Structure formats: structure tokens, C-alpha cells
Amino acid sequence: MSELLQQLINGLALGAIYALIALGYTMVYGVLRFINFAHSDVFMIGAFAGYFLARVVPGGSIGAGIVILIGAMAVCALLGVVIEKLAYRPLRGRSTLTVLITAIGVSLLLQNVGQRIFGANPRSFPSIFPVHQFHFGGIVLSSTQILVFVVTLVLLFLLRYIVLHTRIGTAMRALSFNPTAASLVGINNDRVISFTFALGSALAAAGGILYASNYPSIDPLMGTLPGMKAFVAAVLGGIGNIAGAAVGGLVLGMVETTVVGFGGSTYRDAVAFAVLILILLLRPEGLLGKRTAEKV
Amino acid sequence: MLRVENLSVSYGAIRALHDVSFEVPQGHIVTLIGSNGAGKSTTLRTISGLIKSTGGQISYDGAAIKGLPAHEIVSRGLCHVPEGRMVFANLTVRENLMMGAYLQRDAALINKERDYVFSVFPRLSEREKQLAGTLSGGEQQMLAIGRALMGRPRFLMLDEPSLGIAPLLVKAIFQQIVEINRERGITILLVEQNANLALEIATFGYVLETGRVILQDQAAALRSDPKVRSAYLGG
């Protein structure tokens, strides 16, 4: 029983990180109808931003940790806006395939520039938040896991508030439903798209920092696998659906750790993609797709 | 207030508009009538900045607006209610109206405007919390017009407000269009396939055929014109 509970906790912590990354895929899909493959590398840059910020702001306390977290989120928000402006905006109105291939190009560019600047060797990620272990009976809960839950929950509620209750969030939903109608009420679609990239990229940065705090080794190619899995999570929940991305991330994280828990750790990555194939075969609209009217 | 001169638009190799010219004086209701594919919607979409023209001039309020992005044109008080209504089906009626006031910052003014819209279309206030996608066609048309009113326009372009709507509601909506024009002094450019209805409330009309203006006159004169009667008014 405690074994199962332990796996559940580990799974939720991993899933929460997938959820944070998946939100970026799904929001960008919502407004532009394409998969931003460079998103996983923004996640990587987020971890590196945290790494370098920790040199300026020595970590170890909650306050310093929050400063580093927010700093990395700001760096990535800016990066997301720049990527959109330079790479995707000039292609507005072109076929989705063109934009998709460009996204892959941006992803490769970030990975290779990352290797050029940061070097290809993994670096160990510092403990930017205080580290403790809590024991409850047979269950171990690390402070990093608690951190993952708290940060993810706070960010999810913040995002929910922005999307449902602010002017720009409502504009995101309007744009996602009909860009022409959005421009006819005076929405500057480009500005809303920029905002969407900023929001998604900031969440990816938070994911990057949390991931690096959990698995403290970072390198320029670290985004690929978690990025792919977060993409699976977004599809699992229903691409374009914000609640779906969160649910998809948590489900995928738990499936993955359950497989590991039953001794199948060799197959942990294969399982994620098996889930993708299954969902595409059985329910291509995703778990929450179509059933909810709220799409971004 | 709006002057269109020699406007030409092409979709690839196909010319959709040939040197279309017309004028809408302030405070009037002017209508563009014509059959399906005559270029009526294309004309409106070009004026509101959704389509790029290949030639000609558009001046609004004395300023050239051709080539400006759509959201900029809206900000000058020229608002387009598109064909097919295009309400945000995934937002509530209230949120749709809020989006109509996207460029307004003054909360008190927005509330005042919403009260006005609800007084014009009381049905919308009954449906305030409903998703727009659950409304009937007529209610969606009311919402589309209401959403445009929220932006406090001085000039309204309406594209086929009668399309696919129960006849009883069409009557009500057209009465409200006249009201909006009289009470608010909002100038209106109305595009309709239902020429009878349009010429009833307009002061002046233009007849479009295959992308050209082939006739223009006072609405009353057009209604009695034998050519118009046989082609557009059902004899």
C-alpha cells in the first residue's frame, strides 16, 4: 500500500512538470494551430537560466529560489516572444506544414547554439531551494516534490485566472475560436499571440527549473525527451484544451512511474509513446477534447 | 463619411471587384444589394481591412484607411458585423459583449453601453451567462450587432443580417437597425440579398453585379425600377 502511494506521489510530481510544459504546446496550438517543437528547448533554456541566475543569487533559501524561478520565467517569456516574432510571424497565413518545419528548425538551432555556448557536457544543477526529506510511515516525500506541487498548483490557478477572467485571456479564447472575428472587434491578434508565447514559455521555464531540481543534471539536449512526453500529454488531454493539458500531464506521469514501479523501468519512455498511439487510435480528440467548450 | 473610389480586388487570377465606387453620407443607411457572388461581402471585407485591394481608394472621415490592419480600422469607429455572424461560440454572451468593448477602457462607459445593448435586444440579457454557441441564429445575429455596438462605433457595416433567420426575428432586427441609426446617429452600410427589406429602410442603394456597380439611386426609386424589380425584388 505504501509502495503504491509512494509511486503515486512520484508520478504526480513528474506529471506536474509534464503538465507545465504541455500547457505551452496546447496554448500555442490554440491560437496558431501548430505544434511549436521549439517549446522543449525553451524548457532547456529555462533550466540554464536558473543555473546561471543561481550564480548571481545564491540559492538555498525559499526567497532566493523564488527570485531565480521568476527570473528564469522572465527570460524564457522574452525568448518565446522573440522566437515567435522572428520565426513564426513572417509565416502568418502560410501552410501549417511550413510553420511546423520552421519550428523544428528553431528547435535544432536552440539545441546547437546551446551546445556551442554551454558546452555539450552535463552540468550539475545547484539546489536553489532548501532540500529536506520528510518521512511519513514508509513514504518519503522530498521538499523538491512538495515544491513541484506547490509551484504547479499556483501557476495553474494563475493561468486559469488569466485565461478565464482577464481581458487578454478572454481575447486568447476569442482568437482561438475565430481570428477574423477577433480582429473585427479590435483585438490586435499579433499582440495576443505574443502574450500566449510569453505565457507558455514562462511555464516551460518553471518546468525546466523544477525538472532540474528533481533530476539535477542539465545539458543542451535535455529538453527533447520531457518535451516529447509533454507533447504526448497535451494530445492525451486534448490538444488546444488547457485543462486537458494539465490532466494529460498528471496521467502520463503516473502511468510512467507505475510502469517503473512494476519493474519495467526499461520501458518507461516506450510507455509514453504507446499512450500516444493508443489515444490517437481510440480517442483522437483526447480525454477532455470536445467535451468542454473552453478552448484556448 | 465613407467614400470608396475605383476599388478593385482580385482573388488570385479572379477579379472580384472592378472599379467599385460609392459613397455613404453621415447619418444615412445605404445599402449594397445584388445576388450571390456579386462582390458585396468582398467590398465590406476590403473596407474593414480583412482583404487587400489591388487598386482604388477608401476614405473614412476624411482619412485614407486602405491598407490599415483590421483592428486599427475598428479603433476609428468603423465596425463590421460579418456575414455568418461569427460570434465567439466558446464564450458567454456577456464575454462576447466584453470583447466587443475590447478597445474601451472606461468600465463605467462599458456598463452603460451594455445596458443600451440589452435595451435594444432584451433577449441578450436573458441569455447573458449562456455560451453564444447555444443561441438561435436570430439571437446570434442580435449578439453580433450588440457586440459591434459595444465598441461605440460611428459607422456600422452589416453583412446579410437576415441570412438564415426566422422571418419574425428578421423584422425585429431590421426595426432595431433603424432605431440604432436614428437614436444613436450611427451611419450604416447594409449588405443584403433580401433587397426588398434593405431598400425599405435605406435612403440610397447601389446594385452590384459580378463585381461592378451597375445601378445607383434613391432607395425608393430603385424599388420602383423595373430592372431591379424583375432581377432582385421577385417581379
Side-chain angles (χ1 to χ4, degrees):
Chain A
M1 184 63 208
S2 69
E3 178 97 356
L4 197 71
L5 213 56
Q6 182 72 61
Q7 290 302 340
L8 192 72
I9 290 170
N10 295 347
L12 282 176
L14 182 63
I17 294 172
Y18 290 159
L20 285 178
I21 313 171
L23 286 165
Y25 282 111
T26 225
M27 285 194 292
V28 166
Y29 183 86
V31 293
L32 286 182
R33 297 289 184 276
F34 87 102
I35 301 296
N36 175 20
F37 281 111
H39 190 58
S40 56
D41 305 292
V42 173
F43 160 87
M44 174 272 290
I45 298 285
F48 272 93
Y51 175 88
F52 288 110
L53 280 170
R55 290 188 171 176
V56 189
V57 186
S61 70
I62 289 183
I66 290 174
V67 168
I68 292 170
L69 183 69
I70 290 176
M73 288 173 75
V75 168
C76 283
L78 192 67
L79 177 67
V81 170
V82 170
I83 289 173
E84 192 278 322
K85 191 154 195 164
L86 295 184
Y88 306 143
R89 189 168 300 179
L91 300 176
R92 204 85 86 226
R94 303 287 187 86
S95 81
T96 309
L97 190 62
T98 311
V99 191
L100 212 59
I101 292 169
T102 306
I104 295 172
V106 175
S107 169
L108 291 173
L109 180 76
L110 288 176
Q111 288 177 8
N112 287 290
V113 169
Q115 287 189 324
R116 180 93 192 100
I117 297 175
F118 308 136
N121 292 328
R123 301 173 184 227
S124 73
F125 193 77
S127 307
I128 58 170
F129 282 94
V131 181
H132 291 291
Q133 297 237 317
F134 303 97
H135 296 265
F136 301 98
I139 301 161
V140 185
L141 188 60
S142 75
S143 59
T144 313
Q145 285 174 326
I146 297 174
L147 178 77
V148 170
F149 296 138
V150 171
V151 170
T152 306
L153 270 181
V154 168
L155 290 178
L156 282 182
F157 273 100
L158 212 60
L159 181 70
R160 187 186 146 78
Y161 177 80
I162 291 173
V163 170
L164 290 183
H165 300 292
T166 64
R167 175 172 172 267
I168 186 109
T170 313
M172 278 169 69
R173 286 183 287 147
L175 166 63
S176 131
F177 186 77
N178 188 334
T180 304
S183 66
L184 287 182
V185 297
I187 294 172
N188 183 344
N189 288 358
D190 281 340
R191 195 173 296 169
V192 176
I193 288 166
S194 283
F195 179 77
T196 307
F197 270 84
L199 212 55
S201 304
L203 293 176
I209 297 240
L210 295 176
Y211 190 84
S213 299
N214 242 344
Y215 312 93
S217 161
I218 63 172
D219 68 86
L221 302 182
M222 67 179 276
T224 312
L225 208 49
M228 293 268 245
K229 288 180 184 169
F231 167 61
V232 173
V235 175
L236 175 63
I239 190 80
N241 184 309
I242 285 195
V247 170
L250 292 176
V251 169
L252 192 67
M254 286 196 284
V255 168
E256 203 180 308
T257 48
T258 307
V259 169
V260 176
F262 282 107
S265 57
T266 336
Y267 297 106
R268 68 181 305 167
D269 298 334
V271 163
F273 300 108
V275 166
L276 177 64
I277 292 168
L278 278 180
I279 196 82
L280 288 178
L281 283 175
L282 301 176
R283 200 178 155 80
E285 73 273 27
L287 294 176
L288 302 191
K290 290 218 170 115
R291 261 191 237 160
T292 57
E294 223 64 83
K295 279 193 168 187
V296 157
Chain B
M1 190 173 198
L2 179 78
R3 182 196 296 270
V4 171
E5 283 171 299
N6 303 321
L7 192 64
S8 296
V9 173
S10 298
Y11 293 117
I14 300 158
R15 284 289 287 280
L17 294 184
H18 303 262
D19 296 326
V20 167
S21 299
F22 64 92
E23 218 175 309
V24 185
Q26 185 153 8
H28 284 254
I29 299 180
V30 171
T31 183
L32 297 181
I33 56 176
S35 56
N36 223 340
K40 307 185 301 291
S41 292
T42 301
T43 306
L44 295 198
R45 292 169 69 86
T46 310
I47 296 170
S48 63
L50 295 176
I51 300 178
K52 294 224 177 322
S53 61
T54 45
Q57 298 299 325
I58 304 170
S59 84
Y60 167 73
D61 241 3
I65 57 164
K66 210 185 78 166
L68 290 179
H71 62 92
E72 193 119 332
I73 290 173
V74 180
S75 74
R76 299 182 177 214
L78 198 170
C79 207
H80 177 185
V81 179
E83 186 179 0
R85 310 182 276 272
M86 292 196 191
V87 297
F88 301 118
N90 58 333
L91 306 189
T92 63
V93 167
R94 188 190 174 85
E95 286 174 330
N96 267 276
L97 294 177
M98 287 307 289
M99 283 295 100
Y102 189 75
L103 296 173
Q104 310 293 320
R105 291 298 194 152
D106 184 342
L109 223 55
I110 292 174
N111 286 335
K112 214 179 105 198
E113 213 53 41
R114 188 165 46 220
D115 290 343
Y116 172 67
V117 170
F118 285 158
S119 76
V120 176
F121 301 116
R123 285 234 201 173
L124 293 181
S125 83
E126 293 162 25
R127 307 248 186 276
E128 198 179 344
K129 301 223 164 67
Q130 253 174 266
L131 289 179
T134 65
L135 301 183
S136 75
E139 289 165 344
Q140 288 192 13
Q141 187 62 58
M142 294 175 186
L143 180 57
I145 296 173
R147 183 178 66 184
L149 288 175
M150 290 297 290
R152 305 172 58 82
R154 290 178 297 131
F155 193 110
L156 210 50
M157 298 195 292
L158 303 171
D159 196 350
E160 304 271 10
S162 75
L163 199 69
I165 291 171
L168 220 72
L169 275 182
V170 169
K171 218 163 195 178
I173 289 173
F174 270 68
Q175 260 165 23
Q176 292 309 337
I177 293 173
V178 174
E179 283 294 306
I180 290 163
N181 168 253
R182 285 201 193 130
E183 269 182 40
R184 283 281 165 126
I186 297 175
T187 311
I188 289 173
L189 176 58
L190 173 67
V191 154
E192 261 297 338
Q193 273 194 69
N194 189 335
N196 245 328
L197 217 55
L199 290 174
E200 231 168 82
I201 66 168
T203 51
F204 207 88
Y206 291 82
V207 181
L208 239 62
E209 204 175 277
T210 56
R212 288 186 175 83
V213 174
I214 55 158
L215 259 178
Q216 59 187 74
D217 210 334
Q218 303 288 332
L222 283 178
R223 282 170 79 186
S224 52
D225 186 304
K227 262 196 296 180
V228 176
R229 290 187 70 86
S230 70
Y232 303 105
L233 302 177

